[in-house]
Amino acid sequence: MSAKRIFSGIQPTGNLHLGNYLGAIRNWVRLQGDYQCLFCMVDLHAITVWQDPAELRRNTREVAAGMLASGIQPEKNILFNQSLVPAHAELAWIFNCVARMGWLGRMTQFKEKAGKHKENASVGLFAYPNLMAADILVYKATHVPVGEDQKQHLELTRDIALKFNSDYKTDFFPITEPLIFGAATRVMSLRDGTRKMSKSEESDYSRINMTDDADTIAQKIRKAKTDPDNMPATVENMESRPEASNLLGIYAALSDIDKEAAMRQFAGRQFSAFKQELVDLAVSVLGPINSEMKRLMDDPGHIDAVLRQGGEKARAMAEPILAQVYDIVGFLKP
Ligand code: AMP
Ligand code: TRP
């Protein structure tokens, strides 16, 4: 086991989709075994925008089920929900006092989520990246596997670690590295190849959910937006056609080949023939995950027990690190 320590988080806000699977969860499955890994359902982050309490509980279990069904092994890793470990919120407070307003004001996720009504956004939504830095640094994690969209937050995590270390003349916090994986780090909407596939897009036809059954997957792929030409035969042509490029990217990621190889395989063929192959592939990968998720969701008590055990392991790791931070900052010992 190497000295690398991996932490990653996912918001339990419903509709786990193919982007979450290809951009995050599948990569996490591949990291376990080689590294010490913590995987966290970030429920404290989720409530930065309104969550119905019953839905939040259900979604937390569903995301956990998605990870377990995808092959995350709870015995080898630490799988838990964030609110089980108070040290995240405690360290986040300290980081609220390290990070500067200007740094947070530049975060694109805040700007996107707050939209035109910044004054109406929760304070938590603004401070979100500080809590994310705390998630990572309360374990002194060295590597964070995420999709492209989280890069800016990880840069902020580094800035916070650097400023803390420099303010307190210490080298306590590691400077965390992002781990961004090659293929399909950005899965785009099936309705618009220039927008990210996301939980929050209104149309369910824009995404493939990990809870979709085979028929739904097939229907969504068949209805996915394309253009009138046949399949692209050159990289330039592919890159200038966002929908074709996205579907080929998905095909490549699902079959673990690179996108150019996928392009060559279908060059010049009709979209309908390609889509049928994509349906078969997507169903063969996601079908078994989907049925295992359903099985797990029928036994919420089991999921809760797995998370509680993860929470205990996580607390044992985080508490001594937080105690050292309190000491560095100058708080009296308890
Ligand atoms: P979120 O759903 O925003 O909590 O994201 C959870 C994880 O999935 C993060 O690592 C994201 O980077 C990743 N992710 C979310 N949407 C996509 C997407 N459309 N393509 C690739 N990765 C994504
Ligand atoms: N902000 C991440 C997202 O929306 C989720 C997250 C919270 C996270 N804390 C984290 C990811 C720590 C990696 C590490 O996807």
Side-chain angles (χ1 to χ4, degrees):
M1 178 108 18
S2 104
K4 270 191 200 168
R5 183 177 286 177
I6 308 266
F7 182 97
S8 201
I10 189 162
Q11 297 198 57
T13 42
N15 290 331
L16 264 191
H17 54 74
L18 187 64
N20 298 132
Y21 179 69
L22 292 175
I25 299 172
R26 185 176 71 159
N27 300 322
W28 302 355
V29 174
R30 293 175 178 183
L31 288 165
Q32 63 178 355
D34 290 339
Y35 304 108
Q36 178 166 50
C37 299
L38 295 112
F39 299 121
C40 185
M41 267 61 65
V42 291
D43 45 13
L44 300 174
H45 277 110
I47 62 161
T48 56
V49 297
W50 168 251
Q51 303 295 327
D52 173 79
E55 281 283 300
L56 178 61
R57 228 168 261 130
R58 202 196 112 74
N59 285 332
T60 304
R61 294 185 180 121
E62 188 174 287
V63 174
M67 295 211 222
L68 293 168
S70 303
I72 301 273
Q73 296 172 332
E75 320 79 49
K76 284 199 193 151
N77 305 284
I78 302 184
L79 182 68
F80 68 111
N81 55 302
Q82 193 183 23
S83 56
L84 290 174
V85 187
H88 291 236
E90 293 172 290
L91 184 59
W93 177 259
I94 293 180
F95 289 168
N96 284 345
C97 305
V98 173
R100 307 287 97 182
M101 298 283 286
W103 300 0
L104 294 175
R106 285 193 283 277
M107 295 292 113
T108 49
Q109 184 172 306
F110 173 72
K111 289 192 223 165
E112 275 169 27
K113 285 201 179 173
K116 287 188 213 106
H117 308 290
K118 264 209 217 121
E119 297 299 314
N120 246 336
S122 72
V123 175
L125 189 66
F126 188 67
Y128 178 116
N130 294 344
L131 177 60
M132 178 160 162
D135 295 341
I136 297 165
L137 294 173
V138 84
Y139 304 100
K140 292 189 168 187
T142 57
H143 291 77
V144 180
V146 279
E148 276 278 323
D149 60 328
Q150 293 300 312
K151 248 171 121 170
Q152 196 188 28
H153 286 155
L154 289 184
E155 274 154 27
L156 190 92
T157 301
R158 293 159 71 99
D159 289 341
I160 289 175
L162 284 168
K163 185 165 189 314
F164 181 95
N165 287 350
S166 130
D167 287 353
Y168 292 103
K169 300 187 176 50
T170 168
D171 56 3
F172 188 75
F173 285 122
I175 308 306
T176 309
E177 299 282 344
L179 278 179
I180 307 227
F181 289 79
T185 47
R186 239 176 129 76
V187 178
M188 310 309 274
S189 158
L190 300 182
R191 309 236 91 176
D192 175 353
T194 63
R195 290 170 55 134
K196 206 174 79 162
M197 183 177 287
S198 99
K199 288 170 182 170
S200 49
E201 190 172 330
E202 224 172 291
S203 165
D204 204 49
Y205 274 89
S206 69
R207 67 184 154 257
I208 295 176
N209 298 312
M210 286 176 73
T211 47
D212 286 343
D213 59 24
D215 286 345
T216 312
I217 295 175
Q219 239 182 47
K220 287 181 174 177
I221 293 178
R222 289 202 191 100
K223 289 206 169 155
K225 187 174 167 200
T226 48
D227 55 42
D229 292 338
N230 282 346
M231 296 295 291
T234 65
V235 174
E236 297 70 45
N237 184 257
M238 172 171 71
E239 295 307 340
S240 65
R241 295 165 61 191
E243 282 80 23
S245 171
N246 183 40
L247 293 176
L248 279 165
I250 292 173
Y251 183 94
L254 284 171
S255 54
D256 248 323
I257 58 176
D258 67 45
K259 204 163 139 184
E260 269 110 79
M263 182 201 72
R264 283 194 300 274
Q265 195 175 327
F266 295 100
R269 288 177 56 190
Q270 287 192 327
F271 259 108
S272 53
F274 164 70
K275 278 184 167 179
Q276 187 51 51
E277 294 207 30
L278 183 58
V279 167
D280 295 344
L281 176 63
V283 168
S284 76
V285 175
L286 297 176
I289 297 179
N290 176 281
S291 38
E292 178 62 5
M293 267 177 91
K294 288 211 176 96
R295 196 186 66 79
L296 288 163
M297 284 301 280
D298 282 340
D299 188 0
H302 170 71
I303 298 179
D304 294 4
V306 167
L307 295 179
R308 265 199 307 277
Q309 281 162 16
E312 254 168 57
K313 290 195 267 180
R315 273 199 301 278
M317 226 163 173
E319 280 166 7
I321 295 177
L322 184 71
Q324 289 174 65
V325 175
Y326 273 24
D327 188 46
I328 292 172
V329 167
F331 296 159
L332 297 180
K333 292 224 159 100

